[in-house]
Structure formats: structure tokens, C-alpha cells
Amino acid sequence: MAAANTSAERGGRPLAGIEELQNLSPAELEAVAVYCHWHRYAAGKVIIRQPHDSTFFIVQGMIQVIYYSREGHEVILYDLSSGDMFGELAAIDGHTRSATVIAKKDSVLASLPTQSFLDLTYSNRDVYLAVLKRLTSQVRHLIDRVYSLSTLKVSDRIRTELLRLAKTHPAAPNRGVISPIPTHAELASRLSTHREAVTRELNELARQKVIARTGRDLHILDMTSLGKMVNG
């Protein structure tokens, strides 16, 4: 790896939770940590707003990747949490990063300079394959998103997003929990619609007793019925 002027005071252990690095030995993780810079961000703080010559590993917390149009329209691309990474696209193709990245929760990140990331990828087959799988997953996610935006009406896009979010926190059989609930504006930004449309649809689903809100949690009371609404 290219030389870097940084300390390894955090060591390699925190990097063991990063999906792409899980097959590295403790000694290999320590070697990667030598080239990492460590960062702590409070919830709501901007992590990246300008081009940055690093790949980031999320050791703890959650971040959100946002794009802005020239007119200032906000599009939320995706959320990433502990164990994920971002910035690999810019490292691979050399294009400047155009997204804004914000900490959704208090977060600890490790940044690895681009050349060090490329050296690691080229020299380790397991890391190389893991990065390829991540890129493939991103392509599939974007295909699904293009399909949704192109073929589904707004109400079905909202229902599909609720199903997707709920599946990450399964509760009882045929139930799910979204915690914490994204704001209506945030859901609208994800789904290329407006806040009022999200509010109307959530109110209607609550009226039909398909969903219910408790504090900061949104409970999907009948996953099957919600799925049938989309497919029907």
C-alpha cells in the first residue's frame, strides 16, 4: 500500500466488522489500520460535501447518501450502517464524488486513501470478490429503483418502500417494524414524490389498520395485505 501519514491507534479490531474485510486475519487488519484515518461524527453532521480521495468504512452508526440537482432538489439514494463502506466507486473509476454524505446517527468511520484501498483490493482475492459483490448489489438495487419509479404509481411506491424497510426489522409473523420512522419528507425524497402524498397514503394505511405508529416506530400490522396492495 502507498505510504500514509497517519496513526494506527485504533488498531485493526474495529475493522473486523466491515463486510468486505471479514476474511482478513488480525495481522492483515492491523496492516490496513495503519493507513486509516479515524473520524467521529455526531448525528446530522455532514461527512462529505466535496470530492474526497478516500474510501470509508462505517465502524459504528449510520449514514445517508444524498444527491442534489442543479435546482436544489434532494434525492436520497440510500442509507448505510455499521459494517458497510462507501466511496469505492470514486476510488475505482477516479471520478469525483458528487454526493453529500450525512451522519444519520452518531458514527465512527475509518477512511482509507484511494491508492491504499486499490492496493488492498488488488492484493487480496477475498476483498476483491467482496467489493465485486457489493457493486453487483448496488446495480440490482438501482435496477429495482428504476423499475419502481418507472412502473409504479406513487401509492404503490410508498407501500413497496414500507415493505422493504420493515423486512429489515421483522417482528411477529406477518408483521414488521420500521425504527425509527423516516420523516414524510425523507420518504418523499427517496421515492420522487412530495411530502403530502406520503402523508395521505400513511393516513389511509393507518385507517385500514395496516400500519400503526408507536412513538418513533412504525408497525406494519399485516405484511401480506400490504404486499397484495402493491401486486394487486
Side-chain angles (χ1 to χ4, degrees):
M1 295 182 187
N5 182 21
T6 184
S7 69
E9 61 186 16
R10 293 297 299 266
R13 185 176 298 177
L15 297 177
I18 305 302
E19 185 174 353
E20 284 71 24
L21 307 182
Q22 286 181 350
N23 289 324
L24 296 183
S25 68
E28 289 172 323
L29 289 172
E30 290 289 340
V32 174
V34 169
Y35 296 89
C36 286
H37 297 267
W38 297 87
H39 316 267
R40 186 178 295 274
Y41 296 93
K45 291 295 185 181
V46 174
I47 298 170
I48 295 175
R49 183 172 278 146
Q50 69 280 343
H52 200 289
D53 187 32
S54 293
T55 297
F56 288 79
F57 302 118
I58 306 173
V59 174
Q60 178 183 322
M62 177 179 290
I63 63 97
Q64 187 168 80
V65 181
I66 303 172
Y67 281 80
Y68 291 95
S69 69
R70 292 182 179 178
E71 295 76 22
H73 178 66
E74 178 183 282
V75 177
I76 297 174
L77 192 59
Y78 48 74
D79 295 340
L80 297 173
S81 56
S82 302
D84 284 324
M85 60 182 283
F86 62 94
E88 71 279 8
L89 293 181
I92 291 169
D93 65 13
H95 290 184
T96 57
R97 184 182 289 108
S98 56
T100 296
V101 181
I102 296 174
K104 285 197 70 176
K105 298 179 179 179
D106 292 349
S107 300
V108 177
L109 308 180
S111 63
L112 184 63
T114 290
Q115 190 56 56
S116 296
F117 170 75
L118 292 176
D119 290 345
L120 172 64
T121 304
Y122 296 154
S123 64
N124 190 292
R125 184 174 182 272
D126 287 336
V127 175
Y128 175 78
L129 290 175
V131 171
L132 284 182
K133 288 180 180 179
R134 173 175 291 277
L135 296 176
T136 301
S137 176
Q138 290 179 359
V139 170
R140 293 187 185 279
H141 169 76
L142 292 174
I143 289 173
D144 289 343
R145 187 161 184 174
V146 169
Y147 172 81
S148 176
L149 294 176
S150 301
T151 63
L152 298 180
K153 59 186 180 181
V154 170
S155 59
D156 284 340
R157 297 207 297 268
I158 296 168
R159 296 164 187 168
T160 299
E161 181 67 6
L162 294 179
L163 284 170
R164 185 188 70 81
L165 293 172
K167 286 176 180 177
T168 64
H169 295 90
N174 198 34
R175 292 193 173 206
V177 178
I178 301 172
S179 179
I181 312 169
T183 66
H184 293 189
E186 184 175 337
L187 284 171
S189 180
R190 292 176 187 268
L191 302 173
S192 190
T193 184
H194 50 84
R195 182 176 55 81
E196 292 77 11
V198 173
T199 300
R200 283 197 301 270
E201 180 59 26
L202 294 185
N203 286 342
E204 177 60 21
L205 291 173
R207 187 189 68 79
Q208 296 182 41
K209 301 189 184 304
V210 176
I211 65 173
R213 179 167 184 163
T214 305
R216 298 184 64 198
D217 297 341
L218 184 70
H219 295 263
I220 311 299
L221 305 178
D222 192 336
M223 297 279 282
T224 300
S225 293
L226 188 58
K228 287 181 179 179
M229 289 179 179
V230 177
N231 296 326

